[in-house]
Amino acid sequence: PASLDILTKLTGFQLTRGMLCAMYRPPLRELGEIIRGKRRIAVLEDIQNPTNVGAIFRSAAALGMEAVLLTTPCSDPLYRRSCRVSMGTVFQVPWTYVDGAWQEALAQAGFRTAAMALREDSISLEDPRLKAEEKLAIVLGSEGDGLAPDTIARCDYTVRIPMAHGVDSLNVAAASAVAFWELR
């Protein structure tokens, strides 16, 4: 234990709980190891808000996603805000960072991919083909721009959540919960 003044000097900000902890991070697991034997996974592309990352992990754990893959621009799931918002589920759901070849690796492992995107050619989240897929990866994009056009083009499905009252989109964390529930 140290005084609040010393902890503030060490960290550069005032800690609300007066605690400081340092840990070794486990090495990242390989993509093949993470997805082996899984049927439902989430892929996060460029999601940079740690609150959204934490909320997505919490929904993934609660709603049956067996693993989460993150592109390298994503916020770190072990960032303190992500951990807190996830209620610790970042320590329960297997995850790793992936490089640009993740779609090919998932296809080779038998996964079909569902890009969550608002496009004219999107199918409804309720489309029975999605639930019928033996292995499905739900792909979610950044808070502002959504998924990259080339990511969408390489996915097997482009999927939208049916909405009412002229609302065109949901926050990525909210959208993840709806998609995970429907496709679990």
Side-chain angles (χ1 to χ4, degrees), residues 141-166:
S142 71
E143 295 86 345
D145 297 329
L147 291 169
D150 61 321
T151 299
I152 296 169
R154 290 183 303 190
C155 282
D156 300 299
Y157 299 100
T158 306
V159 181
R160 65 173 156 46
I161 298 170
M163 290 184 252
H165 303 291

mmCIF file of all heavy atoms in Angstrom, residues 141-166:
data_model
loop_
_atom_site.group_PDB
_atom_site.id
_atom_site.type_symbol
_atom_site.label_atom_id
_atom_site.label_comp_id
_atom_site.label_asym_id
_atom_site.label_seq_id
_atom_site.Cartn_x
_atom_site.Cartn_y
_atom_site.Cartn_z
ATOM 1 N N GLY A 141 -18.065 -3.712 -36.915
ATOM 2 C CA GLY A 141 -17.114 -2.667 -37.285
ATOM 3 C C GLY A 141 -17.053 -1.503 -36.324
ATOM 4 O O GLY A 141 -17.802 -1.433 -35.344
ATOM 5 N N SER A 142 -16.182 -0.587 -36.659
ATOM 6 C CA SER A 142 -15.894 0.558 -35.803
ATOM 7 C C SER A 142 -17.119 1.429 -35.567
ATOM 8 O O SER A 142 -18.081 1.411 -36.329
ATOM 9 C CB SER A 142 -14.757 1.395 -36.396
ATOM 10 O OG SER A 142 -15.208 2.065 -37.553
ATOM 11 N N GLU A 143 -17.023 2.222 -34.516
ATOM 12 C CA GLU A 143 -18.127 3.043 -34.052
ATOM 13 C C GLU A 143 -18.593 4.054 -35.102
ATOM 14 O O GLU A 143 -19.779 4.296 -35.250
ATOM 15 C CB GLU A 143 -17.726 3.793 -32.781
ATOM 16 C CG GLU A 143 -17.459 2.890 -31.602
ATOM 17 C CD GLU A 143 -16.038 2.338 -31.507
ATOM 18 O OE1 GLU A 143 -15.277 2.410 -32.502
ATOM 19 O OE2 GLU A 143 -15.673 1.827 -30.447
ATOM 20 N N GLY A 144 -17.687 4.648 -35.828
ATOM 21 C CA GLY A 144 -18.058 5.696 -36.767
ATOM 22 C C GLY A 144 -18.314 5.202 -38.173
ATOM 23 O O GLY A 144 -19.376 5.421 -38.745
ATOM 24 N N ASP A 145 -17.337 4.516 -38.730
ATOM 25 C CA ASP A 145 -17.404 4.129 -40.136
ATOM 26 C C ASP A 145 -17.965 2.741 -40.376
ATOM 27 O O ASP A 145 -18.233 2.368 -41.506
ATOM 28 C CB ASP A 145 -16.001 4.206 -40.756
ATOM 29 C CG ASP A 145 -15.448 5.615 -40.734
ATOM 30 O OD1 ASP A 145 -16.255 6.565 -40.827
ATOM 31 O OD2 ASP A 145 -14.220 5.776 -40.607
ATOM 32 N N GLY A 146 -18.114 1.943 -39.348
ATOM 33 C CA GLY A 146 -18.554 0.575 -39.545
ATOM 34 C C GLY A 146 -17.438 -0.263 -40.151
ATOM 35 O O GLY A 146 -16.260 0.053 -40.010
ATOM 36 N N LEU A 147 -17.810 -1.320 -40.830
ATOM 37 C CA LEU A 147 -16.827 -2.214 -41.434
ATOM 38 C C LEU A 147 -16.252 -1.616 -42.712
ATOM 39 O O LEU A 147 -16.948 -0.909 -43.444
ATOM 40 C CB LEU A 147 -17.477 -3.564 -41.760
ATOM 41 C CG LEU A 147 -17.873 -4.419 -40.565
ATOM 42 C CD1 LEU A 147 -18.747 -5.582 -41.008
ATOM 43 C CD2 LEU A 147 -16.643 -4.918 -39.834
ATOM 44 N N ALA A 148 -15.015 -1.960 -42.985
ATOM 45 C CA ALA A 148 -14.376 -1.534 -44.229
ATOM 46 C C ALA A 148 -15.084 -2.200 -45.409
ATOM 47 O O ALA A 148 -15.496 -3.361 -45.312
ATOM 48 C CB ALA A 148 -12.895 -1.917 -44.218
ATOM 49 N N PRO A 149 -15.239 -1.489 -46.522
ATOM 50 C CA PRO A 149 -15.920 -2.070 -47.684
ATOM 51 C C PRO A 149 -15.304 -3.392 -48.159
ATOM 52 O O PRO A 149 -16.032 -4.308 -48.536
ATOM 53 C CB PRO A 149 -15.785 -0.980 -48.761
ATOM 54 C CG PRO A 149 -15.673 0.293 -47.977
ATOM 55 C CD PRO A 149 -14.905 -0.070 -46.734
ATOM 56 N N ASP A 150 -13.978 -3.524 -48.109
ATOM 57 C CA ASP A 150 -13.368 -4.783 -48.558
ATOM 58 C C ASP A 150 -13.636 -5.925 -47.573
ATOM 59 O O ASP A 150 -13.737 -7.080 -47.966
ATOM 60 C CB ASP A 150 -11.874 -4.620 -48.835
ATOM 61 C CG ASP A 150 -11.064 -4.203 -47.631
ATOM 62 O OD1 ASP A 150 -11.558 -3.376 -46.839
ATOM 63 O OD2 ASP A 150 -9.923 -4.684 -47.486
ATOM 64 N N THR A 151 -13.806 -5.607 -46.285
ATOM 65 C CA THR A 151 -14.185 -6.633 -45.316
ATOM 66 C C THR A 151 -15.582 -7.145 -45.631
ATOM 67 O O THR A 151 -15.819 -8.353 -45.669
ATOM 68 C CB THR A 151 -14.145 -6.069 -43.878
ATOM 69 O OG1 THR A 151 -12.814 -5.644 -43.588
ATOM 70 C CG2 THR A 151 -14.593 -7.111 -42.865
ATOM 71 N N ILE A 152 -16.500 -6.216 -45.877
ATOM 72 C CA ILE A 152 -17.878 -6.599 -46.207
ATOM 73 C C ILE A 152 -17.893 -7.447 -47.475
ATOM 74 O O ILE A 152 -18.562 -8.485 -47.532
ATOM 75 C CB ILE A 152 -18.770 -5.353 -46.375
ATOM 76 C CG1 ILE A 152 -18.867 -4.588 -45.046
ATOM 77 C CG2 ILE A 152 -20.167 -5.749 -46.866
ATOM 78 C CD1 ILE A 152 -19.509 -3.221 -45.162
ATOM 79 N N ALA A 153 -17.142 -7.030 -48.484
ATOM 80 C CA ALA A 153 -17.130 -7.742 -49.767
ATOM 81 C C ALA A 153 -16.635 -9.174 -49.623
ATOM 82 O O ALA A 153 -17.082 -10.064 -50.354
ATOM 83 C CB ALA A 153 -16.259 -6.988 -50.776
ATOM 84 N N ARG A 154 -15.738 -9.428 -48.663
ATOM 85 C CA ARG A 154 -15.199 -10.777 -48.483
ATOM 86 C C ARG A 154 -16.003 -11.633 -47.515
ATOM 87 O O ARG A 154 -15.691 -12.802 -47.318
ATOM 88 C CB ARG A 154 -13.744 -10.692 -48.024
ATOM 89 C CG ARG A 154 -12.814 -10.176 -49.126
ATOM 90 C CD ARG A 154 -11.395 -10.171 -48.668
ATOM 91 N NE ARG A 154 -11.323 -9.351 -47.456
ATOM 92 C CZ ARG A 154 -10.206 -8.970 -46.867
ATOM 93 N NH1 ARG A 154 -9.062 -9.345 -47.345
ATOM 94 N NH2 ARG A 154 -10.223 -8.226 -45.797
ATOM 95 N N CYS A 155 -17.044 -11.056 -46.890
ATOM 96 C CA CYS A 155 -17.896 -11.841 -45.995
ATOM 97 C C CYS A 155 -18.947 -12.598 -46.804
ATOM 98 O O CYS A 155 -19.326 -12.190 -47.896
ATOM 99 C CB CYS A 155 -18.572 -10.930 -44.965
ATOM 100 S SG CYS A 155 -17.472 -10.443 -43.609
ATOM 101 N N ASP A 156 -19.422 -13.694 -46.239
ATOM 102 C CA ASP A 156 -20.430 -14.522 -46.900
ATOM 103 C C ASP A 156 -21.809 -13.883 -46.882
ATOM 104 O O ASP A 156 -22.603 -14.079 -47.794
ATOM 105 C CB ASP A 156 -20.489 -15.897 -46.229
ATOM 106 C CG ASP A 156 -19.157 -16.615 -46.319
ATOM 107 O OD1 ASP A 156 -18.707 -16.879 -47.442
ATOM 108 O OD2 ASP A 156 -18.564 -16.884 -45.252
ATOM 109 N N TYR A 157 -22.115 -13.160 -45.818
ATOM 110 C CA TYR A 157 -23.403 -12.494 -45.675
ATOM 111 C C TYR A 157 -23.168 -11.045 -45.256
ATOM 112 O O TYR A 157 -22.204 -10.757 -44.544
ATOM 113 C CB TYR A 157 -24.247 -13.140 -44.562
ATOM 114 C CG TYR A 157 -24.583 -14.583 -44.761
ATOM 115 C CD1 TYR A 157 -23.862 -15.582 -44.103
ATOM 116 C CD2 TYR A 157 -25.648 -14.970 -45.580
ATOM 117 C CE1 TYR A 157 -24.186 -16.922 -44.258
ATOM 118 C CE2 TYR A 157 -25.968 -16.312 -45.740
ATOM 119 C CZ TYR A 157 -25.231 -17.278 -45.076
ATOM 120 O OH TYR A 157 -25.556 -18.609 -45.227
ATOM 121 N N THR A 158 -24.077 -10.174 -45.662
ATOM 122 C CA THR A 158 -24.153 -8.817 -45.117
ATOM 123 C C THR A 158 -25.506 -8.743 -44.421
ATOM 124 O O THR A 158 -26.539 -9.028 -45.024
ATOM 125 C CB THR A 158 -24.038 -7.756 -46.221
ATOM 126 O OG1 THR A 158 -22.846 -7.995 -46.964
ATOM 127 C CG2 THR A 158 -23.984 -6.361 -45.627
ATOM 128 N N VAL A 159 -25.483 -8.385 -43.144
ATOM 129 C CA VAL A 159 -26.657 -8.542 -42.284
ATOM 130 C C VAL A 159 -27.025 -7.211 -41.627
ATOM 131 O O VAL A 159 -26.149 -6.469 -41.190
ATOM 132 C CB VAL A 159 -26.370 -9.598 -41.189
ATOM 133 C CG1 VAL A 159 -27.568 -9.800 -40.287
ATOM 134 C CG2 VAL A 159 -25.920 -10.909 -41.810
ATOM 135 N N ARG A 160 -28.324 -6.951 -41.542
ATOM 136 C CA ARG A 160 -28.815 -5.772 -40.831
ATOM 137 C C ARG A 160 -29.831 -6.206 -39.781
ATOM 138 O O ARG A 160 -30.476 -7.235 -39.904
ATOM 139 C CB ARG A 160 -29.444 -4.773 -41.792
ATOM 140 C CG ARG A 160 -30.678 -5.283 -42.456
ATOM 141 C CD ARG A 160 -31.421 -4.269 -43.289
ATOM 142 N NE ARG A 160 -32.255 -4.810 -44.330
ATOM 143 C CZ ARG A 160 -33.109 -5.815 -44.245
ATOM 144 N NH1 ARG A 160 -33.243 -6.457 -43.149
ATOM 145 N NH2 ARG A 160 -33.824 -6.212 -45.269
ATOM 146 N N ILE A 161 -29.936 -5.386 -38.764
ATOM 147 C CA ILE A 161 -30.928 -5.596 -37.717
ATOM 148 C C ILE A 161 -32.175 -4.804 -38.113
ATOM 149 O O ILE A 161 -32.087 -3.588 -38.307
ATOM 150 C CB ILE A 161 -30.396 -5.115 -36.355
ATOM 151 C CG1 ILE A 161 -29.157 -5.924 -35.951
ATOM 152 C CG2 ILE A 161 -31.491 -5.200 -35.287
ATOM 153 C CD1 ILE A 161 -28.427 -5.373 -34.745
ATOM 154 N N PRO A 162 -33.330 -5.462 -38.241
ATOM 155 C CA PRO A 162 -34.550 -4.729 -38.560
ATOM 156 C C PRO A 162 -34.884 -3.745 -37.426
ATOM 157 O O PRO A 162 -34.848 -4.117 -36.251
ATOM 158 C CB PRO A 162 -35.626 -5.811 -38.662
ATOM 159 C CG PRO A 162 -34.891 -7.099 -38.782
ATOM 160 C CD PRO A 162 -33.563 -6.904 -38.125
ATOM 161 N N MET A 163 -35.174 -2.504 -37.800
ATOM 162 C CA MET A 163 -35.463 -1.480 -36.792
ATOM 163 C C MET A 163 -36.712 -0.687 -37.174
ATOM 164 O O MET A 163 -37.082 -0.626 -38.332
ATOM 165 C CB MET A 163 -34.265 -0.557 -36.637
ATOM 166 C CG MET A 163 -33.099 -1.242 -35.968
ATOM 167 S SD MET A 163 -31.738 -0.145 -35.672
ATOM 168 C CE MET A 163 -30.606 -0.752 -36.908
ATOM 169 N N ALA A 164 -37.292 -0.058 -36.173
ATOM 170 C CA ALA A 164 -38.529 0.708 -36.358
ATOM 171 C C ALA A 164 -38.282 2.202 -36.154
ATOM 172 O O ALA A 164 -37.188 2.613 -35.749
ATOM 173 C CB ALA A 164 -39.576 0.215 -35.355
ATOM 174 N N HIS A 165 -39.304 2.972 -36.419
ATOM 175 C CA HIS A 165 -39.337 4.414 -36.153
ATOM 176 C C HIS A 165 -38.252 5.195 -36.877
ATOM 177 O O HIS A 165 -37.789 6.223 -36.379
ATOM 178 C CB HIS A 165 -39.274 4.699 -34.650
ATOM 179 C CG HIS A 165 -40.370 4.048 -33.879
ATOM 180 N ND1 HIS A 165 -41.692 4.424 -33.982
ATOM 181 C CD2 HIS A 165 -40.353 3.006 -33.009
ATOM 182 C CE1 HIS A 165 -42.433 3.667 -33.205
ATOM 183 N NE2 HIS A 165 -41.651 2.783 -32.607
ATOM 184 N N GLY A 166 -37.787 4.706 -38.007
ATOM 185 C CA GLY A 166 -36.794 5.433 -38.789
ATOM 186 C C GLY A 166 -35.391 5.413 -38.214
ATOM 187 O O GLY A 166 -34.506 6.118 -38.715
#
